Amino acid sequence: MGRAGKVSFFLTETGRQVVFYGATTVAIGIFAGHYFPHSICISYYREFVQAYKNGEERKLSEKLEQRYKRAINLLDLSEFEKKFAKPFMVYGFDVFNAGSFKTRFGAYVGIPSNFEYDSAATIDRADIKIRNQPIDWNSEAGKLLEDALVLSEDEQVFGIARELLTMKTYKSLIQSIIPTVSWMFTYALGSQLNERCNFYARPRSLRFILYTICGLFGFGIYSFSTDMTEIYYETDVDKQMARFGPDVIDAGVRFYDKILKKNVAIRKLTGEDYYTAKGNVNYLIRQKAAPLTLRKEFFQTGYKEFIGTEETS
């Protein structure tokens, strides 16, 4: 009886209002969860991904500070933008960004610790583990990883500049709006179908099927929109980088080649298939980002068609 009464409550006008306010609260939570790490809570987000050693934050060396300044000068940022963004040492082997130049909360560029390495001899092997396991540096995969972790100055500047350009877009805001709108659309669709087809008077099993179909449809919209937005901004940033000339284009080829090598090495060392044999992230169904092989290929050959099209237009 108690269960039946609980179900019937949500079929009343009061119950529907409760569901509406609940759905609105969830929508606000979804937006906040995606956007706040890049705005209001950005300092906490930075601390979460910060690289530490012996319980203390790792600091940027003078060498990396100078390379960060090179990236800023390459992009010809305004004086405000130069002061707005700040570099820090990030955990892992990949460059990172948080925040946006479009907000007033700041922006951070994460520089991985392997950017400190100038040669294989300077790699801190004892400090590097994968899945919390030591690495056999004498193995084929170990040597491949060793080669991938050492980036030239131009390659490092390319990676840092790429993250700075990404933060000049509205990407973080748009990718916060997409899941929020997808959720509200899913709720509105289910609510309208309930009322128009009078599903409230139908068995709960039919309503469950309806909600499942609406949920899958909403998730499809969210996945497609999020993935296409990510790919758009990634490819657009690469195109902007290509405009800086042949030296930057060459650095782009080598930068993505190092990332691919790193991923292949990790695949071999762990025996897991998170990465493909070529080094791309192995997504099951979705394509959450542009394939790294295509991004490398763009700087090898694709940029010629892009630059040529710009010149003729």
Side-chain angles (χ1 to χ4, degrees):
M1 290 297 291
R3 184 177 180 181
K6 187 181 294 185
V7 172
S8 63
F9 168 75
F10 290 106
L11 302 183
T12 65
E13 187 62 30
T14 303
R16 294 178 194 179
Q17 288 183 354
V18 170
V19 173
F20 171 76
Y21 291 131
T24 304
T25 302
V26 171
I28 295 172
I30 291 173
F31 180 82
H34 283 79
Y35 192 61
F36 280 13
H38 294 277
S39 55
I40 298 174
C41 302
I42 190 170
S43 60
Y44 298 105
Y45 190 25
R46 184 196 68 80
E47 290 176 4
F48 181 74
V49 298
Q50 167 79 45
Y52 295 88
K53 189 171 185 178
N54 299 326
E56 296 184 356
E57 293 185 0
R58 290 192 172 188
K59 304 296 183 181
L60 284 178
S61 64
E62 180 65 26
K63 175 180 64 179
L64 292 184
E65 290 277 5
Q66 292 301 319
R67 292 176 184 179
Y68 176 76
K69 290 179 181 179
R70 265 197 64 192
I72 288 179
N73 293 332
L74 173 67
L75 302 181
D76 193 27
L77 299 178
S78 66
E79 288 301 319
F80 169 76
E81 289 173 331
K82 290 177 181 179
K83 296 177 181 178
F84 192 76
K86 295 180 176 61
F88 73 102
M89 295 293 287
V90 71
Y91 177 79
F93 300 134
D94 297 309
V95 281
F96 170 85
N97 73 79
S100 171
F101 288 107
K102 308 297 183 181
T103 71
R104 61 184 180 87
F105 298 101
Y108 291 96
V109 177
I111 301 176
S113 58
N114 63 292
F115 275 29
E116 292 280 8
Y117 307 147
D118 292 321
S119 66
T122 60
I123 295 177
D124 187 1
R125 291 171 173 78
D127 192 45
I128 300 175
K129 294 182 180 180
I130 296 179
R131 303 289 188 272
N132 207 30
Q133 297 295 321
I135 297 171
D136 181 6
W137 294 99
N138 294 319
S139 66
E140 178 185 351
K143 292 178 180 178
L144 184 64
L145 180 62
E146 183 181 80
D147 178 60
L149 291 180
V150 181
L151 281 73
S152 68
E153 181 174 344
D154 287 344
E155 293 163 10
Q156 293 179 11
V157 170
F158 176 93
I160 296 169
R162 188 191 68 169
E163 301 306 307
L164 287 166
L165 277 180
T166 301
M167 293 191 297
K168 294 189 72 174
T169 69
Y170 289 99
K171 175 184 169 183
S172 60
L173 176 61
I174 292 175
Q175 291 197 329
S176 301
I177 293 174
I178 288 173
T180 308
V181 172
S182 299
W183 165 256
M184 292 304 296
F185 173 80
T186 303
Y187 167 76
L189 178 64
S191 180
Q192 286 295 314
L193 289 175
N194 259 331
E195 291 185 8
R196 293 195 177 190
C197 301
N198 195 27
F199 268 90
Y200 294 118
R202 306 290 177 87
R204 279 178 293 175
S205 58
L206 286 179
R207 292 202 301 275
F208 177 77
I209 293 174
L210 169 67
Y211 298 149
T212 301
I213 293 173
C214 291
L216 290 173
F217 187 63
F219 180 74
I221 293 175
Y222 157 75
S223 299
F224 177 80
S225 302
T226 301
D227 296 352
M228 289 302 100
T229 301
E230 181 71 26
I231 292 172
Y232 166 77
Y233 280 117
E234 287 182 346
T235 54
D236 183 63
V237 166
D238 283 346
K239 290 176 182 177
Q240 292 183 58
M241 293 296 295
R243 293 190 182 103
F244 292 117
D247 291 340
V248 175
I249 291 171
D250 181 60
V253 175
R254 291 182 279 114
F255 176 79
Y256 285 117
D257 184 62
K258 290 290 178 68
I259 296 178
L260 289 166
K261 286 181 177 178
K262 170 181 66 67
N263 294 348
V264 171
I266 292 175
R267 172 188 168 94
K268 291 180 177 180
L269 289 168
T270 61
E272 300 174 1
D273 61 352
Y274 180 78
Y275 298 110
T276 66
K278 292 185 177 180
N280 291 311
V281 178
N282 194 10
Y283 300 113
L284 182 61
I285 298 176
R286 297 169 56 185
Q287 185 60 55
K288 297 181 181 180
L292 292 168
T293 49
L294 292 183
R295 299 185 76 173
K296 174 187 173 182
E297 185 179 324
F298 169 77
F299 285 99
Q300 286 178 316
T301 57
Y303 77 91
K304 297 177 182 178
E305 182 179 344
F306 167 69
I307 297 296
T309 303
E310 279 203 327
E311 289 176 350
T312 55
S313 61

